[in-house]
Amino acid sequence: MLRSMIACMLLFSLTAFGNTNSLAGKRIVTLGVRNESNTFSTAHTKLSDFKVRRGNEVLQTETWDEVCAAAGVQVIPVLHAYAWPGGVVEKKAFDQFMQEILAGIRKAGKIDGIYMDMHGALHAEGYADAQATLIKEIRKIVGSKVLISGSFDLHGNLSADFVDNINILSAYRTAPHRDEVETRQRAVNMLLEAMDKQLNPVIETVTIPILVPGEKSITEIEPLKSIYAQLPGLCTQEGIMDASIFAGYCWADLSRSAMRVFVVARSSAYQQQARKAAAILAQQIWNARASMQLNVPSGSFPEMFTKALNDKAGTVFISDSGDNTTAGAPGDNTQVLDHLLKQTTELKVLLAGMVDPEAFKACMAKQKNDEITLTLGGRIDYKFSKPVTIKGRIVFQSPQSEIDKKRGAVLLNIEGVSVVILNDRRSFTQLIDFKDIGLNPMDFKVVIVKLGYLFPELADIAPLSLMALTAGFCNLDIPNLPYKQVTRPAYPLDPDMVWKID
Ligand SMILES: [Zn+2]
């Protein structure tokens, strides 16, 4: 399936270029530092949280380079670093990545283009805008003529400073994300096309002062479904290379946090057309701001839990949305656990999972079927929860996972509730995450996950999904978050504000 998709893309890409011979022998550098950084979290994203790929390791796990190879373009992979969404990136980690990237670019010598694989919502301590610093430092080395293209998560917050230094960009068009591969390919294709045809693209941006959580900006439902659906058609217009809508990332208290529309024109001749297209999309989004709402029933955890137990349809997934580990929360908030331990039910309930390396270690020191008493959670998210003392029986132990050696898990049965204890911060987004610890979520009546919206694989199989509006670092109560830096006025913090496109 993936191979045939790549073959189709390859064919499409090559026909999109004019004289492919002009690309033969060209050289591009690729790099990336990806993170979604939650500025409300008490934890930092550390160097050890990043998965780093260098040299051929980068190309072995990507597919877009096949198009480059077919066109005779040499790809020089510099560092690609990625960390699961978390707190602000520690300065030491970002500095190290940036220095390695800059050294790699210097070492690469004469190059014709750069492809940046980014998220867009990275924030590092000690920097007002680390992403802008990175691209400006790159420009100091390569100058203004070398084309830079980037792919982004639509949850990125790109500053004007950053965009001023990039020539081409494209973002995912689906949330939940289903088009990561296509987006990267699109960004690379556009870079190759611009190199091939010697284009000088221009990016038009409209910033829309809206702070919206991912759970209210799903692209599969209205109002955003029909707005995002306009993007592919827009890109077929003469003079328009690409169009993106960034929903932005609202758990970052930064002046650049907002929604944005970007339209890439092939040249300044089409700039006005791009500006107009961006303005139309931005106005549609602004007009739809009040109708961006959750697509599943929501309420307090006790309300959602009662609803789930009374449901007759089958397995019910409940998102502990305040502790959404896919949006940077730590995954050790104990509000849900605390409530579960005060309830009694004959039905099977699974909490997947609680991140607590200390508790994990204590469980691993015991044997399967042993009883254990320990304090669990509330160590990182001590603002909205506190450690809970539990007594349970160990029913599964795994020092490491087949997926990733760092991933260890223990399953405890605590008064009839199954609780997964994890030694590292991760999320249950796919069936394999459950299978990895010998579980099938569909065997349970209620499955509580530390997510916001369910990721595609779970969303596709869940008979019913509910959103628990819990307090935490990814609290969905946006108007009441303690923002200090975001640009005001902004909707919904200033609900009656008036906004006009400049
Ligand atoms: Zn995202």
Side-chain angles (χ1 to χ4, degrees):
M1 177 64 190
L2 187 62
R3 269 190 184 281
S4 62
M5 198 167 76
I6 294 164
C8 280
M9 283 177 174
L10 191 65
L11 189 65
F12 171 79
S13 309
L14 291 177
T15 53
F17 308 137
N19 175 11
T20 52
N21 286 342
S22 80
L23 286 173
K26 299 269 190 200
R27 307 172 78 238
I28 64 169
V29 157
T30 179
L31 60 99
V33 188
R34 290 189 289 140
N35 184 246
E36 188 174 83
S37 314
N38 185 317
T39 67
F40 294 111
S41 176
T42 51
H44 276 169
T45 299
K46 301 189 183 75
L47 189 60
S48 57
D49 293 322
F50 281 87
K51 282 187 181 145
V52 180
R53 292 175 292 146
R54 298 177 170 90
N56 283 336
E57 255 183 317
V58 173
L59 301 183
Q60 278 163 9
T61 46
E62 297 294 337
T63 54
W64 51 262
D65 71 298
E66 294 185 22
V67 175
C68 298
V73 173
Q74 185 191 351
V75 180
I76 303 151
V78 181
L79 173 134
H80 276 234
Y82 168 74
W84 196 240
V88 170
V89 175
E90 65 175 0
K91 189 173 187 307
K92 186 175 76 175
F94 186 78
D95 284 348
Q96 187 173 315
F97 295 149
M98 184 162 69
Q99 291 315 319
E100 189 172 332
I101 287 168
L102 299 177
I105 293 172
R106 280 189 208 99
K107 195 176 161 202
K110 187 184 174 309
I111 55 169
D112 303 284
I114 294 177
Y115 162 56
M116 299 178 80
D117 181 7
M118 303 292 281
H119 179 287
L122 181 146
H123 184 61
E125 61 176 347
Y127 290 91
D129 186 349
Q131 297 178 135
T133 302
L134 173 65
I135 198 166
K136 286 197 278 190
E137 290 298 317
I138 291 171
R139 278 290 178 213
K140 282 184 193 167
I141 299 170
V142 303
S144 59
K145 296 272 164 52
V146 168
L147 289 167
I148 304 181
S149 177
S151 60
F152 298 87
D153 186 308
L154 62 82
H155 297 122
N157 291 319
L158 301 185
S159 67
D161 225 12
F162 181 90
V163 178
D164 283 348
N165 286 282
I166 199 163
N167 304 94
I168 300 163
L169 67 85
S170 193
Y172 304 158
R173 292 172 179 167
T174 58
H177 308 316
R178 298 174 188 265
D179 62 336
E180 292 98 325
V181 173
E182 293 92 323
T183 305
R184 291 189 178 102
Q185 188 67 67
R186 210 162 50 237
V188 171
N189 286 354
M190 289 192 286
L191 176 63
L192 297 186
E193 191 188 355
M195 283 162 49
D196 180 38
K197 296 177 181 167
Q198 299 185 329
L199 303 178
N200 193 8
V202 178
I203 300 174
E204 278 296 329
T205 311
V206 178
T207 299
I208 316 154
I210 296 176
L211 294 165
V212 65
E215 288 60 43
K216 293 186 179 181
S217 51
I218 290 172
T219 60
E220 293 168 2
I221 56 164
E222 297 299 353
L224 290 180
K225 183 181 176 184
S226 45
I227 302 177
Y228 271 89
Q230 296 169 44
L231 298 180
L234 187 54
C235 301
T236 62
Q237 286 184 15
E238 193 194 348
I240 303 297
M241 276 193 114
D242 198 76
S244 299
I245 298 167
F246 279 61
Y249 178 66
C250 68
W251 293 292
D253 185 14
L254 300 168
S255 60
R256 60 182 179 274
S257 298
M259 291 187 78
R260 283 185 183 81
V261 174
F262 296 99
V263 178
V264 185
R266 283 173 184 275
S267 71
S268 55
Y270 299 99
Q271 193 169 356
Q272 282 308 316
Q273 190 184 329
R275 180 80 200 156
K276 197 175 157 194
I280 290 170
L281 288 170
Q283 190 63 53
Q284 289 177 7
I285 292 165
W286 178 253
N287 293 348
R289 63 195 182 284
S291 45
M292 288 188 239
Q293 295 298 337
L294 298 175
N295 68 331
V296 295
S298 63
S300 69
F301 181 74
E303 285 169 353
M304 293 300 99
F305 190 56
T306 303
K307 191 175 174 65
L309 293 177
N310 292 333
D311 176 78
K312 302 280 184 269
T315 300
V316 181
F317 285 79
I318 305 179
S319 293
D320 177 4
S321 65
D323 197 21
N324 176 2
T325 48
T326 65
D332 80 332
N333 182 305
T334 56
Q335 289 166 72
V336 165
L337 175 68
D338 196 39
H339 183 80
L340 289 176
L341 299 182
K342 288 173 183 157
Q343 298 295 304
T344 49
T345 174
E346 296 297 309
L347 297 169
K348 289 180 77 179
V349 177
L350 172 65
L351 172 57
M354 290 292 300
V355 179
D356 193 327
E358 281 182 45
F360 170 79
K361 203 171 159 190
C363 291
M364 289 305 292
K366 294 267 189 179
Q367 301 293 317
K368 190 179 168 188
N369 292 322
D370 278 358
E371 291 228 323
I372 188 166
T373 300
L374 43 76
T375 54
L376 183 58
R379 297 184 216 277
I380 308 170
D381 186 352
Y382 51 80
K383 282 196 174 178
F384 299 100
S385 72
K386 54 181 189 236
V388 172
T389 301
I390 52 118
K391 185 178 177 187
R393 189 171 59 82
I394 299 166
V395 292
F396 177 88
Q397 290 167 301
S398 171
Q400 64 186 44
S401 142
E402 286 176 20
I403 303 170
D404 183 336
K405 287 194 168 47
K406 277 166 71 181
R407 292 169 49 145
V410 167
L411 186 64
L412 279 191
N413 189 302
I414 310 168
E415 296 169 31
V417 178
S418 297
V419 178
V420 181
I421 300 178
L422 303 162
N423 73 328
D424 73 323
R425 208 173 56 83
R426 61 181 155 108
S427 315
F428 286 75
T429 58
Q430 308 172 79
L431 286 170
I432 196 168
D433 298 317
F434 294 90
K435 198 177 166 199
D436 195 39
I437 45 177
L439 296 175
N440 178 352
M442 307 315 275
D443 291 341
F444 292 84
K445 176 60 197 168
V446 185
V447 178
I448 300 136
V449 281
K450 289 187 176 282
L451 304 178
Y453 54 59
L454 294 185
F455 277 47
E457 205 170 285
L458 299 186
D460 290 347
I461 59 159
L464 179 63
S465 168
L466 305 173
M467 190 76 69
L469 304 175
T470 46
F473 299 134
C474 292
N475 196 327
L476 287 168
D477 185 11
I478 304 304
N480 290 309
L481 295 189
Y483 289 112
K484 293 187 180 73
Q485 307 296 326
V486 295
T487 305
R488 304 289 288 265
Y491 184 86
L493 312 187
D494 306 293
D496 301 324
M497 68 174 285
V498 175
W499 178 70
K500 274 201 167 64
I501 298 168
D502 294 333

